[in-house]
Amino acid sequence: MLSDDQVNEIIVEVENVPSGVVPEKTLVNSSFRMVSSASDIHVTDSQSFSNPNDKKSKQLLRFSTSLNESFSQTLHSPGSVGIDTPCTSHENIQGQKLIASLIPMTSRDRIKAIRNQPRTMEEKRNLKKMVDKEKSKQSRRMLELNCCAQCLNSISRAYRRSKNSLSELLDSVSLWQKTLKVIGGKFGTSVLSYFNFLRWLLKFNIFSFIVTFSFIIIPQFMVAEKNTLQFTGLEFFTGVGYFRNTVMYYGFYTNSTIGHRNGGASYNMQLAYLFTIGACLVICFFSLLFSMARYFRNNFINPHIYSRGIAKLIFCWDFTVTHEKAVKLKQKNLSTEIRENLSEIRQENVKLTLNQQLIRFSAHLAAWVVSTGVAVACCVAVYYLAENNSEFLKKHKDPGAVLLLPFIVSCINLAVPRLYSLFRLVEWYEMPRHEVYTLLIRNIFLKISIIGILCYYWLNIVAQAGEECWETLIGQEIYRLLLMDFVFSLADSFLGEFLRRLIGMQFITSLGLQEFDIARNVLELIYAQTLVWIGTFFCPLLPFIQMITLFIMFYVKNISLMMNFQPPSKAWRASQMMTFFIFLLFFPSFTGVLCTLAITIWRLKPSADCGPFRGLPFFIYSIYGWIDTLSKRPSYLWVVWIYQNLIGSVHFFFILTLIVLIITYLYWQITEGRKIMIRLLHEQIINEGKDKMFLIEKLTKLQDMEKRANTSSFTMERRDVEQPGPLPVGERDAARDLRFRRSVQEENSKA
């Protein structure tokens, strides 16, 4: 039987043996022969010896040594057998050290270390129980000492788990996720950006409807009277008649304070109306800012956008995708992205001559002059039509006469953008993104100008005409404009795009299928959303109507896209389009809405016979009266201070605007700096490539010179051999054979 010191020496020698010196089988067998009793070390896992540099293997070897030193005292129980070593105090100390060395290990390493021992299962169970017992004691002490830390850790883990589960839930209930993947795989990111923008607006209107329905419509239902008007169905198109005495329009809402039956807190409808609309606009404002900043950071500032995503396309295949249809869709998406990146690189390298640049500049200038003239003419026509609309309605009592103005405006919005799209035949943009940006700017100028003229007509003619409940009249006008725009969009999708497909496929085959016009369709969404924001004050149910129209338009556009359109002929990346769409939605659309509503609330007098603000000189006077009431209550003075120093202060908004401009400027400078950095790194890569080519050319020249030198030396040697004189035929053949062998040997040595 070996002593403990001998076993330790054997283990140390085994640990220090380099890999490959002693075969694994010989080492393991010799270990079994040398360790003859139960107290000797016995390692059966040959893998622990296969790599002496492995840290886990060394830990297991050290553990085996210490376990051998104290195993008899530590594991021996009254019922155990096969262990006859006497118990000593030294072995007790070693057993405690053994347990202390096992406790810091992970559960996997601890189980593996215990399993590798040549002991009975009962002894291994006893050892595991003792280690678990000591570990639980230590964990209990640590829990008592670090209770706060444990609580914080548990809270953080619970937060992470809840966050992950919430993100998974949102991903699972995300609208049209599969449909968007199909669209992106077939038509690319440029067309996909339109549908992403539509979905983003849909979520926006869902939130606005929930807020207005909770704080305005539900309280009004509690005090609403029964509607006595008859419903004919024509109200869906005109917005008048039965809908006039419903929660759909401003004039139906009460100006009284809604009190609780049991004498509880009252509900001021004036404050609720203003604060709800204001809260929606404030949340929309910060949401637009946050979305612009997020998309701007992801698409302009992050460096990965300049690498064109090649690493993601080539090296990041998702191996969890196993379904056949999902695999094909993923492959199609990747191929489309690669095609877009390559097309972008190719188009950036195109350079034009001076004559070509002059011709294109002249074409662009002419197109801008024509488009601006058309937009001005349309705005003048809308202005004169709106100015004479009141007299026209007085002469014609037909209910359908109110649809004349919305019909003309919708015709302009449908025909003029198509005229703008024809300018591409003359302008010939190399980058499709530039063409989309140009069309967006022209269309936004047209549509926002028309909305501005209509707002001037509503606030300066309708509101000042002394009409009964002019707020409801404006709400009806906006409802008709929104509904007529939706009807024209449906007709264009079902009839116009379908007829264009028939003409291109059956009659004029040279035309082929058309491409999806991103600029025109996006501006339709921005135009409709601008009307919704303006009309929410006069028609609180407009977000709900817009929510339904967007939901229908998604499916209509998806079906029309699959049937009537082809993928873009010039593939291009549209990762930055969402940033531009949201920017156009913010300015000039949302800022124009804020100006219009500010003029309405601060400058116009409410109707005297309808609405929650009846009897007040201005809408804002309801806030003034509420602040005067709170100023008399000491417990609400902080609200008065916030209103006077923040909300009602011009300096606060000036500072807020300045901060926003500074942040925007910083983002812009970061973007420009990273662009310069990328350009310099690109030039550095090109210069390094040129240096490598120069070195390769030098090396090739040196090799050629060395080859020539070797050839000349071989020729001189052959001349020296041939100089002695003529040889007989046999000797001449022998010499030729000898020279051939020498040449072969030299070539082999060089090789």
Side-chain angles (χ1 to χ4, degrees), residues 471-502:
E471 297 91 347
T472 300
L473 295 178
I474 294 177
Q476 292 172 355
E477 288 281 350
I478 296 175
Y479 170 79
R480 287 191 287 267
L481 284 169
L482 189 65
L483 183 66
M484 191 62 66
D485 182 74
F486 173 66
V487 171
F488 270 69
S489 298
L490 289 180
D492 180 56
S493 299
F494 283 119
L495 297 178
E497 296 171 356
F498 178 72
L499 291 176
R500 172 63 176 79
R501 174 177 175 270
L502 288 179

PDB file of all heavy atoms in Angstrom, residues 471-502:
ATOM      1  N   GLU A 471     -67.841  75.299 -34.837  1.00  0.00           N
ATOM      2  CA  GLU A 471     -66.900  74.206 -34.569  1.00  0.00           C
ATOM      3  C   GLU A 471     -67.380  72.889 -35.172  1.00  0.00           C
ATOM      4  O   GLU A 471     -66.586  72.113 -35.733  1.00  0.00           O
ATOM      5  CB  GLU A 471     -66.678  74.040 -33.063  1.00  0.00           C
ATOM      6  CG  GLU A 471     -66.051  75.228 -32.379  1.00  0.00           C
ATOM      7  CD  GLU A 471     -67.078  76.213 -31.848  1.00  0.00           C
ATOM      8  OE1 GLU A 471     -68.262  76.081 -32.227  1.00  0.00           O
ATOM      9  OE2 GLU A 471     -66.715  77.101 -31.072  1.00  0.00           O
ATOM     10  N   THR A 472     -68.693  72.654 -35.080  1.00  0.00           N
ATOM     11  CA  THR A 472     -69.244  71.431 -35.673  1.00  0.00           C
ATOM     12  C   THR A 472     -69.163  71.476 -37.191  1.00  0.00           C
ATOM     13  O   THR A 472     -68.901  70.449 -37.839  1.00  0.00           O
ATOM     14  CB  THR A 472     -70.700  71.249 -35.216  1.00  0.00           C
ATOM     15  OG1 THR A 472     -70.731  71.145 -33.785  1.00  0.00           O
ATOM     16  CG2 THR A 472     -71.301  69.995 -35.823  1.00  0.00           C
ATOM     17  N   LEU A 473     -69.357  72.651 -37.775  1.00  0.00           N
ATOM     18  CA  LEU A 473     -69.239  72.768 -39.230  1.00  0.00           C
ATOM     19  C   LEU A 473     -67.819  72.442 -39.701  1.00  0.00           C
ATOM     20  O   LEU A 473     -67.626  71.760 -40.722  1.00  0.00           O
ATOM     21  CB  LEU A 473     -69.635  74.179 -39.670  1.00  0.00           C
ATOM     22  CG  LEU A 473     -71.098  74.582 -39.433  1.00  0.00           C
ATOM     23  CD1 LEU A 473     -71.333  76.031 -39.869  1.00  0.00           C
ATOM     24  CD2 LEU A 473     -72.037  73.652 -40.187  1.00  0.00           C
ATOM     25  N   ILE A 474     -66.819  72.938 -38.965  1.00  0.00           N
ATOM     26  CA  ILE A 474     -65.434  72.621 -39.331  1.00  0.00           C
ATOM     27  C   ILE A 474     -65.168  71.125 -39.170  1.00  0.00           C
ATOM     28  O   ILE A 474     -64.487  70.505 -40.011  1.00  0.00           O
ATOM     29  CB  ILE A 474     -64.462  73.465 -38.477  1.00  0.00           C
ATOM     30  CG1 ILE A 474     -64.617  74.946 -38.825  1.00  0.00           C
ATOM     31  CG2 ILE A 474     -63.026  73.012 -38.685  1.00  0.00           C
ATOM     32  CD1 ILE A 474     -63.759  75.862 -37.973  1.00  0.00           C
ATOM     33  N   GLY A 475     -65.694  70.534 -38.099  1.00  0.00           N
ATOM     34  CA  GLY A 475     -65.532  69.095 -37.914  1.00  0.00           C
ATOM     35  C   GLY A 475     -66.152  68.287 -39.048  1.00  0.00           C
ATOM     36  O   GLY A 475     -65.576  67.286 -39.502  1.00  0.00           O
ATOM     37  N   GLN A 476     -67.310  68.733 -39.521  1.00  0.00           N
ATOM     38  CA  GLN A 476     -67.945  68.043 -40.652  1.00  0.00           C
ATOM     39  C   GLN A 476     -67.125  68.191 -41.935  1.00  0.00           C
ATOM     40  O   GLN A 476     -67.003  67.237 -42.716  1.00  0.00           O
ATOM     41  CB  GLN A 476     -69.355  68.605 -40.853  1.00  0.00           C
ATOM     42  CG  GLN A 476     -70.312  68.265 -39.725  1.00  0.00           C
ATOM     43  CD  GLN A 476     -71.630  68.999 -39.856  1.00  0.00           C
ATOM     44  OE1 GLN A 476     -71.812  69.831 -40.745  1.00  0.00           O
ATOM     45  NE2 GLN A 476     -72.568  68.688 -38.956  1.00  0.00           N
ATOM     46  N   GLU A 477     -66.558  69.380 -42.166  1.00  0.00           N
ATOM     47  CA  GLU A 477     -65.721  69.573 -43.348  1.00  0.00           C
ATOM     48  C   GLU A 477     -64.500  68.651 -43.316  1.00  0.00           C
ATOM     49  O   GLU A 477     -64.142  68.028 -44.325  1.00  0.00           O
ATOM     50  CB  GLU A 477     -65.266  71.042 -43.421  1.00  0.00           C
ATOM     51  CG  GLU A 477     -66.357  72.021 -43.789  1.00  0.00           C
ATOM     52  CD  GLU A 477     -66.636  72.019 -45.285  1.00  0.00           C
ATOM     53  OE1 GLU A 477     -65.864  71.398 -46.039  1.00  0.00           O
ATOM     54  OE2 GLU A 477     -67.630  72.645 -45.699  1.00  0.00           O
ATOM     55  N   ILE A 478     -63.851  68.553 -42.153  1.00  0.00           N
ATOM     56  CA  ILE A 478     -62.661  67.699 -42.046  1.00  0.00           C
ATOM     57  C   ILE A 478     -63.045  66.234 -42.200  1.00  0.00           C
ATOM     58  O   ILE A 478     -62.307  65.460 -42.838  1.00  0.00           O
ATOM     59  CB  ILE A 478     -61.949  67.964 -40.698  1.00  0.00           C
ATOM     60  CG1 ILE A 478     -61.442  69.410 -40.658  1.00  0.00           C
ATOM     61  CG2 ILE A 478     -60.802  66.982 -40.490  1.00  0.00           C
ATOM     62  CD1 ILE A 478     -60.829  69.805 -39.335  1.00  0.00           C
ATOM     63  N   TYR A 479     -64.188  65.847 -41.658  1.00  0.00           N
ATOM     64  CA  TYR A 479     -64.637  64.458 -41.820  1.00  0.00           C
ATOM     65  C   TYR A 479     -64.883  64.121 -43.290  1.00  0.00           C
ATOM     66  O   TYR A 479     -64.480  63.047 -43.776  1.00  0.00           O
ATOM     67  CB  TYR A 479     -65.918  64.249 -41.004  1.00  0.00           C
ATOM     68  CG  TYR A 479     -66.605  62.929 -41.286  1.00  0.00           C
ATOM     69  CD1 TYR A 479     -66.136  61.744 -40.725  1.00  0.00           C
ATOM     70  CD2 TYR A 479     -67.721  62.862 -42.125  1.00  0.00           C
ATOM     71  CE1 TYR A 479     -66.758  60.534 -40.991  1.00  0.00           C
ATOM     72  CE2 TYR A 479     -68.348  61.671 -42.397  1.00  0.00           C
ATOM     73  CZ  TYR A 479     -67.861  60.507 -41.822  1.00  0.00           C
ATOM     74  OH  TYR A 479     -68.472  59.307 -42.088  1.00  0.00           O
ATOM     75  N   ARG A 480     -65.503  65.033 -44.018  1.00  0.00           N
ATOM     76  CA  ARG A 480     -65.754  64.781 -45.443  1.00  0.00           C
ATOM     77  C   ARG A 480     -64.454  64.719 -46.242  1.00  0.00           C
ATOM     78  O   ARG A 480     -64.303  63.896 -47.157  1.00  0.00           O
ATOM     79  CB  ARG A 480     -66.680  65.862 -45.997  1.00  0.00           C
ATOM     80  CG  ARG A 480     -68.124  65.737 -45.530  1.00  0.00           C
ATOM     81  CD  ARG A 480     -69.024  66.666 -46.321  1.00  0.00           C
ATOM     82  NE  ARG A 480     -68.842  68.051 -45.967  1.00  0.00           N
ATOM     83  CZ  ARG A 480     -69.554  68.703 -45.051  1.00  0.00           C
ATOM     84  NH1 ARG A 480     -70.516  68.071 -44.386  1.00  0.00           N
ATOM     85  NH2 ARG A 480     -69.342  69.981 -44.804  1.00  0.00           N
ATOM     86  N   LEU A 481     -63.491  65.598 -45.916  1.00  0.00           N
ATOM     87  CA  LEU A 481     -62.200  65.550 -46.609  1.00  0.00           C
ATOM     88  C   LEU A 481     -61.491  64.218 -46.363  1.00  0.00           C
ATOM     89  O   LEU A 481     -60.935  63.606 -47.289  1.00  0.00           O
ATOM     90  CB  LEU A 481     -61.319  66.706 -46.134  1.00  0.00           C
ATOM     91  CG  LEU A 481     -61.643  68.096 -46.686  1.00  0.00           C
ATOM     92  CD1 LEU A 481     -60.858  69.156 -45.924  1.00  0.00           C
ATOM     93  CD2 LEU A 481     -61.319  68.168 -48.170  1.00  0.00           C
ATOM     94  N   LEU A 482     -61.515  63.773 -45.107  1.00  0.00           N
ATOM     95  CA  LEU A 482     -60.847  62.515 -44.770  1.00  0.00           C
ATOM     96  C   LEU A 482     -61.530  61.332 -45.445  1.00  0.00           C
ATOM     97  O   LEU A 482     -60.863  60.437 -45.992  1.00  0.00           O
ATOM     98  CB  LEU A 482     -60.838  62.350 -43.248  1.00  0.00           C
ATOM     99  CG  LEU A 482     -60.008  61.198 -42.686  1.00  0.00           C
ATOM    100  CD1 LEU A 482     -58.532  61.421 -42.983  1.00  0.00           C
ATOM    101  CD2 LEU A 482     -60.229  61.060 -41.190  1.00  0.00           C
ATOM    102  N   LEU A 483     -62.867  61.323 -45.440  1.00  0.00           N
ATOM    103  CA  LEU A 483     -63.603  60.215 -46.050  1.00  0.00           C
ATOM    104  C   LEU A 483     -63.431  60.216 -47.571  1.00  0.00           C
ATOM    105  O   LEU A 483     -63.246  59.144 -48.180  1.00  0.00           O
ATOM    106  CB  LEU A 483     -65.087  60.321 -45.689  1.00  0.00           C
ATOM    107  CG  LEU A 483     -65.968  59.180 -46.190  1.00  0.00           C
ATOM    108  CD1 LEU A 483     -65.581  57.875 -45.502  1.00  0.00           C
ATOM    109  CD2 LEU A 483     -67.437  59.486 -45.945  1.00  0.00           C
ATOM    110  N   MET A 484     -63.480  61.387 -48.195  1.00  0.00           N
ATOM    111  CA  MET A 484     -63.318  61.448 -49.642  1.00  0.00           C
ATOM    112  C   MET A 484     -61.908  61.022 -50.062  1.00  0.00           C
ATOM    113  O   MET A 484     -61.731  60.341 -51.087  1.00  0.00           O
ATOM    114  CB  MET A 484     -63.617  62.866 -50.136  1.00  0.00           C
ATOM    115  CG  MET A 484     -63.743  62.976 -51.641  1.00  0.00           C
ATOM    116  SD  MET A 484     -65.100  61.994 -52.324  1.00  0.00           S
ATOM    117  CE  MET A 484     -66.511  62.835 -51.603  1.00  0.00           C
ATOM    118  N   ASP A 485     -60.909  61.390 -49.284  1.00  0.00           N
ATOM    119  CA  ASP A 485     -59.546  60.955 -49.580  1.00  0.00           C
ATOM    120  C   ASP A 485     -59.423  59.434 -49.476  1.00  0.00           C
ATOM    121  O   ASP A 485     -58.743  58.800 -50.298  1.00  0.00           O
ATOM    122  CB  ASP A 485     -58.574  61.640 -48.612  1.00  0.00           C
ATOM    123  CG  ASP A 485     -57.134  61.284 -48.887  1.00  0.00           C
ATOM    124  OD1 ASP A 485     -56.571  61.785 -49.872  1.00  0.00           O
ATOM    125  OD2 ASP A 485     -56.565  60.469 -48.116  1.00  0.00           O
ATOM    126  N   PHE A 486     -60.086  58.847 -48.500  1.00  0.00           N
ATOM    127  CA  PHE A 486     -60.067  57.381 -48.353  1.00  0.00           C
ATOM    128  C   PHE A 486     -60.771  56.706 -49.532  1.00  0.00           C
ATOM    129  O   PHE A 486     -60.281  55.698 -50.070  1.00  0.00           O
ATOM    130  CB  PHE A 486     -60.734  57.006 -47.034  1.00  0.00           C
ATOM    131  CG  PHE A 486     -60.917  55.535 -46.840  1.00  0.00           C
ATOM    132  CD1 PHE A 486     -59.834  54.685 -46.694  1.00  0.00           C
ATOM    133  CD2 PHE A 486     -62.195  54.987 -46.821  1.00  0.00           C
ATOM    134  CE1 PHE A 486     -60.009  53.320 -46.516  1.00  0.00           C
ATOM    135  CE2 PHE A 486     -62.379  53.630 -46.644  1.00  0.00           C
ATOM    136  CZ  PHE A 486     -61.283  52.794 -46.488  1.00  0.00           C
ATOM    137  N   VAL A 487     -61.895  57.252 -49.961  1.00  0.00           N
ATOM    138  CA  VAL A 487     -62.625  56.669 -51.096  1.00  0.00           C
ATOM    139  C   VAL A 487     -61.792  56.753 -52.368  1.00  0.00           C
ATOM    140  O   VAL A 487     -61.718  55.792 -53.153  1.00  0.00           O
ATOM    141  CB  VAL A 487     -63.984  57.378 -51.264  1.00  0.00           C
ATOM    142  CG1 VAL A 487     -64.655  56.943 -52.561  1.00  0.00           C
ATOM    143  CG2 VAL A 487     -64.889  57.078 -50.079  1.00  0.00           C
ATOM    144  N   PHE A 488     -61.131  57.887 -52.599  1.00  0.00           N
ATOM    145  CA  PHE A 488     -60.293  58.025 -53.788  1.00  0.00           C
ATOM    146  C   PHE A 488     -59.102  57.076 -53.738  1.00  0.00           C
ATOM    147  O   PHE A 488     -58.670  56.557 -54.773  1.00  0.00           O
ATOM    148  CB  PHE A 488     -59.825  59.476 -53.913  1.00  0.00           C
ATOM    149  CG  PHE A 488     -60.755  60.332 -54.720  1.00  0.00           C
ATOM    150  CD1 PHE A 488     -62.017  60.672 -54.249  1.00  0.00           C
ATOM    151  CD2 PHE A 488     -60.386  60.791 -55.967  1.00  0.00           C
ATOM    152  CE1 PHE A 488     -62.874  61.455 -54.990  1.00  0.00           C
ATOM    153  CE2 PHE A 488     -61.239  61.582 -56.728  1.00  0.00           C
ATOM    154  CZ  PHE A 488     -62.495  61.911 -56.245  1.00  0.00           C
ATOM    155  N   SER A 489     -58.547  56.845 -52.559  1.00  0.00           N
ATOM    156  CA  SER A 489     -57.428  55.901 -52.441  1.00  0.00           C
ATOM    157  C   SER A 489     -57.874  54.489 -52.764  1.00  0.00           C
ATOM    158  O   SER A 489     -57.158  53.734 -53.452  1.00  0.00           O
ATOM    159  CB  SER A 489     -56.843  55.966 -51.022  1.00  0.00           C
ATOM    160  OG  SER A 489     -56.327  57.242 -50.738  1.00  0.00           O
ATOM    161  N   LEU A 490     -59.065  54.108 -52.273  1.00  0.00           N
ATOM    162  CA  LEU A 490     -59.587  52.777 -52.603  1.00  0.00           C
ATOM    163  C   LEU A 490     -59.863  52.647 -54.098  1.00  0.00           C
ATOM    164  O   LEU A 490     -59.532  51.621 -54.715  1.00  0.00           O
ATOM    165  CB  LEU A 490     -60.869  52.511 -51.806  1.00  0.00           C
ATOM    166  CG  LEU A 490     -60.741  52.287 -50.302  1.00  0.00           C
ATOM    167  CD1 LEU A 490     -62.119  52.037 -49.693  1.00  0.00           C
ATOM    168  CD2 LEU A 490     -59.822  51.115 -50.012  1.00  0.00           C
ATOM    169  N   ALA A 491     -60.468  53.676 -54.683  1.00  0.00           N
ATOM    170  CA  ALA A 491     -60.754  53.620 -56.121  1.00  0.00           C
ATOM    171  C   ALA A 491     -59.474  53.555 -56.946  1.00  0.00           C
ATOM    172  O   ALA A 491     -59.390  52.833 -57.944  1.00  0.00           O
ATOM    173  CB  ALA A 491     -61.587  54.841 -56.528  1.00  0.00           C
ATOM    174  N   ASP A 492     -58.468  54.286 -56.510  1.00  0.00           N
ATOM    175  CA  ASP A 492     -57.194  54.250 -57.224  1.00  0.00           C
ATOM    176  C   ASP A 492     -56.535  52.874 -57.125  1.00  0.00           C
ATOM    177  O   ASP A 492     -55.936  52.387 -58.099  1.00  0.00           O
ATOM    178  CB  ASP A 492     -56.265  55.319 -56.662  1.00  0.00           C
ATOM    179  CG  ASP A 492     -54.924  55.333 -57.356  1.00  0.00           C
ATOM    180  OD1 ASP A 492     -54.898  55.469 -58.586  1.00  0.00           O
ATOM    181  OD2 ASP A 492     -53.902  55.188 -56.668  1.00  0.00           O
ATOM    182  N   SER A 493     -56.658  52.223 -55.970  1.00  0.00           N
ATOM    183  CA  SER A 493     -56.045  50.901 -55.798  1.00  0.00           C
ATOM    184  C   SER A 493     -56.799  49.834 -56.576  1.00  0.00           C
ATOM    185  O   SER A 493     -56.178  48.973 -57.217  1.00  0.00           O
ATOM    186  CB  SER A 493     -55.998  50.536 -54.306  1.00  0.00           C
ATOM    187  OG  SER A 493     -55.217  51.464 -53.587  1.00  0.00           O
ATOM    188  N   PHE A 494     -58.127  49.853 -56.524  1.00  0.00           N
ATOM    189  CA  PHE A 494     -58.912  48.804 -57.162  1.00  0.00           C
ATOM    190  C   PHE A 494     -59.084  49.018 -58.669  1.00  0.00           C
ATOM    191  O   PHE A 494     -59.130  48.051 -59.430  1.00  0.00           O
ATOM    192  CB  PHE A 494     -60.295  48.709 -56.511  1.00  0.00           C
ATOM    193  CG  PHE A 494     -60.262  48.010 -55.184  1.00  0.00           C
ATOM    194  CD1 PHE A 494     -60.649  48.674 -54.043  1.00  0.00           C
ATOM    195  CD2 PHE A 494     -59.846  46.693 -55.076  1.00  0.00           C
ATOM    196  CE1 PHE A 494     -60.626  48.040 -52.814  1.00  0.00           C
ATOM    197  CE2 PHE A 494     -59.825  46.054 -53.858  1.00  0.00           C
ATOM    198  CZ  PHE A 494     -60.204  46.720 -52.715  1.00  0.00           C
ATOM    199  N   LEU A 495     -59.201  50.290 -59.090  1.00  0.00           N
ATOM    200  CA  LEU A 495     -59.473  50.562 -60.501  1.00  0.00           C
ATOM    201  C   LEU A 495     -58.245  51.069 -61.247  1.00  0.00           C
ATOM    202  O   LEU A 495     -57.843  50.496 -62.263  1.00  0.00           O
ATOM    203  CB  LEU A 495     -60.617  51.578 -60.611  1.00  0.00           C
ATOM    204  CG  LEU A 495     -61.968  51.121 -60.049  1.00  0.00           C
ATOM    205  CD1 LEU A 495     -62.986  52.237 -60.168  1.00  0.00           C
ATOM    206  CD2 LEU A 495     -62.459  49.860 -60.753  1.00  0.00           C
ATOM    207  N   GLY A 496     -57.636  52.151 -60.748  1.00  0.00           N
ATOM    208  CA  GLY A 496     -56.523  52.752 -61.468  1.00  0.00           C
ATOM    209  C   GLY A 496     -55.331  51.823 -61.607  1.00  0.00           C
ATOM    210  O   GLY A 496     -54.808  51.607 -62.712  1.00  0.00           O
ATOM    211  N   GLU A 497     -54.893  51.235 -60.511  1.00  0.00           N
ATOM    212  CA  GLU A 497     -53.736  50.336 -60.571  1.00  0.00           C
ATOM    213  C   GLU A 497     -54.059  49.048 -61.313  1.00  0.00           C
ATOM    214  O   GLU A 497     -53.205  48.492 -62.015  1.00  0.00           O
ATOM    215  CB  GLU A 497     -53.253  50.045 -59.153  1.00  0.00           C
ATOM    216  CG  GLU A 497     -52.729  51.301 -58.445  1.00  0.00           C
ATOM    217  CD  GLU A 497     -52.452  51.064 -56.977  1.00  0.00           C
ATOM    218  OE1 GLU A 497     -52.745  49.927 -56.506  1.00  0.00           O
ATOM    219  OE2 GLU A 497     -51.949  51.982 -56.299  1.00  0.00           O
ATOM    220  N   PHE A 498     -55.309  48.570 -61.184  1.00  0.00           N
ATOM    221  CA  PHE A 498     -55.693  47.361 -61.912  1.00  0.00           C
ATOM    222  C   PHE A 498     -55.749  47.619 -63.419  1.00  0.00           C
ATOM    223  O   PHE A 498     -55.282  46.803 -64.232  1.00  0.00           O
ATOM    224  CB  PHE A 498     -57.045  46.867 -61.395  1.00  0.00           C
ATOM    225  CG  PHE A 498     -57.550  45.647 -62.105  1.00  0.00           C
ATOM    226  CD1 PHE A 498     -56.963  44.401 -61.906  1.00  0.00           C
ATOM    227  CD2 PHE A 498     -58.623  45.738 -62.986  1.00  0.00           C
ATOM    228  CE1 PHE A 498     -57.428  43.278 -62.569  1.00  0.00           C
ATOM    229  CE2 PHE A 498     -59.097  44.622 -63.651  1.00  0.00           C
ATOM    230  CZ  PHE A 498     -58.495  43.391 -63.434  1.00  0.00           C
ATOM    231  N   LEU A 499     -56.313  48.767 -63.826  1.00  0.00           N
ATOM    232  CA  LEU A 499     -56.360  49.106 -65.252  1.00  0.00           C
ATOM    233  C   LEU A 499     -54.957  49.313 -65.817  1.00  0.00           C
ATOM    234  O   LEU A 499     -54.671  48.920 -66.952  1.00  0.00           O
ATOM    235  CB  LEU A 499     -57.207  50.362 -65.453  1.00  0.00           C
ATOM    236  CG  LEU A 499     -58.712  50.208 -65.202  1.00  0.00           C
ATOM    237  CD1 LEU A 499     -59.403  51.554 -65.350  1.00  0.00           C
ATOM    238  CD2 LEU A 499     -59.324  49.188 -66.157  1.00  0.00           C
ATOM    239  N   ARG A 500     -54.098  49.916 -65.024  1.00  0.00           N
ATOM    240  CA  ARG A 500     -52.701  50.091 -65.472  1.00  0.00           C
ATOM    241  C   ARG A 500     -52.028  48.733 -65.674  1.00  0.00           C
ATOM    242  O   ARG A 500     -51.237  48.545 -66.618  1.00  0.00           O
ATOM    243  CB  ARG A 500     -51.956  50.920 -64.425  1.00  0.00           C
ATOM    244  CG  ARG A 500     -50.460  51.024 -64.643  1.00  0.00           C
ATOM    245  CD  ARG A 500     -50.114  51.739 -65.930  1.00  0.00           C
ATOM    246  NE  ARG A 500     -48.681  51.906 -66.064  1.00  0.00           N
ATOM    247  CZ  ARG A 500     -47.839  50.948 -66.463  1.00  0.00           C
ATOM    248  NH1 ARG A 500     -48.314  49.739 -66.786  1.00  0.00           N
ATOM    249  NH2 ARG A 500     -46.548  51.183 -66.555  1.00  0.00           N
ATOM    250  N   ARG A 501     -52.345  47.770 -64.858  1.00  0.00           N
ATOM    251  CA  ARG A 501     -51.785  46.425 -65.031  1.00  0.00           C
ATOM    252  C   ARG A 501     -52.311  45.781 -66.314  1.00  0.00           C
ATOM    253  O   ARG A 501     -51.549  45.156 -67.067  1.00  0.00           O
ATOM    254  CB  ARG A 501     -52.131  45.564 -63.822  1.00  0.00           C
ATOM    255  CG  ARG A 501     -51.723  44.099 -63.951  1.00  0.00           C
ATOM    256  CD  ARG A 501     -52.058  43.358 -62.675  1.00  0.00           C
ATOM    257  NE  ARG A 501     -51.791  41.935 -62.825  1.00  0.00           N
ATOM    258  CZ  ARG A 501     -52.670  41.046 -63.262  1.00  0.00           C
ATOM    259  NH1 ARG A 501     -53.894  41.449 -63.609  1.00  0.00           N
ATOM    260  NH2 ARG A 501     -52.354  39.774 -63.370  1.00  0.00           N
ATOM    261  N   LEU A 502     -53.619  45.922 -66.574  1.00  0.00           N
ATOM    262  CA  LEU A 502     -54.176  45.357 -67.801  1.00  0.00           C
ATOM    263  C   LEU A 502     -53.564  45.991 -69.046  1.00  0.00           C
ATOM    264  O   LEU A 502     -53.243  45.293 -70.022  1.00  0.00           O
ATOM    265  CB  LEU A 502     -55.695  45.532 -67.814  1.00  0.00           C
ATOM    266  CG  LEU A 502     -56.501  44.660 -66.846  1.00  0.00           C
ATOM    267  CD1 LEU A 502     -57.979  44.973 -66.981  1.00  0.00           C
ATOM    268  CD2 LEU A 502     -56.247  43.179 -67.110  1.00  0.00           C
TER     269      LEU A 502
END
